[in-house]
Amino acid sequence: MTKDLKISVVIPTYQRPQLLMECIHALALQHFDREAFEVLVVSDGPDAATKKVVNSWKATGLLQLKYLSLQRKAGPAAARNKGWKNAAAKIIAFTDDDCRPDPEWLNRIWLHHRKDEDLVAYTGKVIVPMPDEPAITDHAYNTSHLAKAEFITANCACTKAALELTGGFDEQFTMAWREDSDLEFNLLKHNIPIRYLPVARVIHPVRKSAWGSSLADQRKAIFNALLFRKYPQLYKTRIRQSPPLKYYIMTGSLVAFMICLLLGNLTAAALLLGCWILGWLYFTAQRLMHTSRQPSHMLEMLYTSAFIPLLSIYWHFYGSIKYRAFFL
């Protein structure tokens, strides 16, 4: 271990150089001895732009920076594992490239760490600044829920001994979804305390999202099944996420409509189509209740609300079959 090195910060990233630059800048502003912490940036696969950002910061001499890279893209869980396994400090702090640690972040973690406690983890406060009410998109509204997460890799820390005992992150989670809950449940399984530090704060701005990105997000449901298979009781009590009843009603109505249409039962087909349209409009209205009424956003909600129930159910059952974890 490097002399006097107290904390190693691990940041997984991939092809987001501008976001990474802002995150590193926030770490350079830490009210913490710069000789007492290091920053390990781990690229999730070869990424020349990321390496260039790290090298440009290293040239300033303001931070102890290391650049690591996975040989191929494997997800943030694998990137974090490579980071902490190459870290030199006793405490490993995790944040993400789209986050901005508060200047007191590392100082708060260090001050609350008991030097005789080798097996412990910390979870801090995540702040999601929201735009003015009329401009809140569905993506922004969903991102705001990160502030309520019990344990999230945007702002957590573990002793290296705790990570070694648990094995760290499960690399089966190849997307940024549920890998943090998996680590949390693994820590609980090993009776490693998780201390909440509301004074250790990280800002998580709302990123811009592509139009209709909520459709691609449904694929994350695969990893709900993996987490459920590993920790069924904890999943039931702490996550409790599965496709809601309205998704099944909408999808069932649509499938039954097509069957009736093929059989020539136009009356039943019309009733079922009407049922699906009512569900579609109700679901859209729910999503617009707390979000923007701008025409482009309303059109996006109408479009995506038509497909989300079907995609959610598809990926839910895909994951259930893949991981042999059947739950509703």
Side-chain angles (χ1 to χ4, degrees):
M1 183 181 296
T2 303
K3 184 180 179 180
D4 297 328
L5 198 62
K6 297 173 180 176
I7 301 177
S8 295
V9 180
V10 174
I11 309 170
T13 187
Y14 187 65
Q15 295 184 348
R16 303 202 295 194
Q18 186 58 44
L19 289 172
L20 176 64
M21 193 176 300
E22 294 170 10
C23 180
I24 295 175
H25 181 257
L27 290 169
L29 298 176
Q30 291 293 297
H31 298 163
F32 197 67
D33 182 2
R34 290 177 182 170
E35 297 299 316
F37 75 99
E38 63 175 352
V39 179
L40 297 97
V41 175
V42 188
S43 177
D44 183 16
D47 183 354
T50 294
K51 188 173 184 179
K52 184 178 180 181
V53 167
V54 175
N55 287 339
S56 66
W57 270 101
K58 285 176 70 173
T60 68
L62 294 175
L63 290 170
Q64 299 187 63
L65 271 170
K66 293 181 183 177
Y67 171 79
L68 302 169
S69 174
L70 301 182
Q71 290 185 345
R72 59 179 179 80
K73 189 166 174 56
R80 292 189 189 98
N81 280 344
K82 188 173 183 70
W84 72 258
K85 288 177 181 178
N86 284 275
K90 175 183 178 181
I91 298 176
I92 315 297
F94 295 99
T95 192
D96 294 327
D97 60 4
D98 56 354
C99 294
R100 312 287 175 266
D102 179 86
E104 291 290 337
W105 183 53
L106 293 178
N107 192 42
R108 297 298 186 184
I109 292 172
W110 180 251
L111 289 176
H112 284 82
H113 176 64
R114 298 203 320 240
K115 308 305 181 286
D116 61 340
E117 200 165 30
D118 290 329
L119 297 175
V120 66
Y122 305 98
T123 179
K125 185 176 180 62
V126 174
I127 300 170
V128 183
M130 296 296 287
D132 294 335
E133 190 73 25
I136 297 175
T137 62
D138 180 69
H139 171 72
Y141 181 71
N142 290 332
T143 302
S144 71
H145 296 154
L146 295 176
K148 302 175 184 177
E150 288 185 4
F151 187 91
I152 183 171
T153 46
N155 184 4
C156 69
C158 303
T159 57
K160 193 169 186 179
L163 291 167
E164 290 170 341
L165 180 63
T166 59
F169 295 90
D170 185 342
E171 297 182 14
Q172 292 182 89
F173 293 86
T174 54
M175 295 178 68
W177 188 253
R178 300 304 186 207
E179 81 284 4
D180 41 13
S181 295
D182 178 79
L183 177 60
E184 176 192 11
F185 294 171
N186 203 359
L187 291 165
L188 294 173
K189 174 185 173 182
H190 285 84
N191 297 313
I192 296 174
I194 302 173
R195 308 202 191 287
Y196 177 48
L197 299 181
V199 293
R201 301 179 300 173
V202 163
I203 309 298
H204 191 306
V206 177
R207 300 194 315 269
K208 290 183 178 180
S209 63
W211 197 90
S213 62
S214 56
L215 296 181
D217 288 343
Q218 303 311 307
R219 189 173 184 273
K220 295 176 180 178
I222 295 174
F223 301 107
N224 289 340
L226 175 57
L227 187 62
F228 177 83
R229 189 197 72 186
K230 295 182 68 178
Y231 305 100
Q233 288 305 123
L234 284 169
Y235 188 95
K236 289 176 183 177
T237 56
R238 298 194 178 214
I239 305 293
R240 302 183 298 274
Q241 185 169 348
S242 60
L245 180 60
K246 63 175 175 279
Y247 286 12
Y248 287 104
I249 293 173
M250 287 179 64
T251 302
S253 298
L254 189 61
V255 171
F257 158 73
M258 290 187 290
I259 292 172
C260 288
L261 196 63
L262 288 172
L263 294 175
N265 191 338
L266 300 184
T267 301
L271 289 172
L272 289 163
L273 180 60
C275 181
W276 179 84
I277 290 173
L278 286 174
W280 169 49
L281 294 176
Y282 174 72
F283 181 35
T284 303
Q286 278 189 313
R287 297 174 71 198
L288 287 169
M289 190 176 298
H290 304 291
T291 60
S292 171
R293 308 295 171 81
Q294 293 294 321
S296 63
H297 184 255
M298 293 179 69
L299 181 61
E300 181 184 7
M301 294 301 98
L302 282 165
Y303 174 74
T304 55
S305 294
F307 295 100
I308 282 176
L310 181 62
L311 290 171
S312 175
I313 291 172
Y314 171 79
W315 288 117
H316 173 80
F317 281 98
Y318 180 95
S320 296
I321 293 169
K322 180 177 182 179
Y323 297 112
R324 293 184 290 280
F326 296 95
F327 66 107
L328 295 175

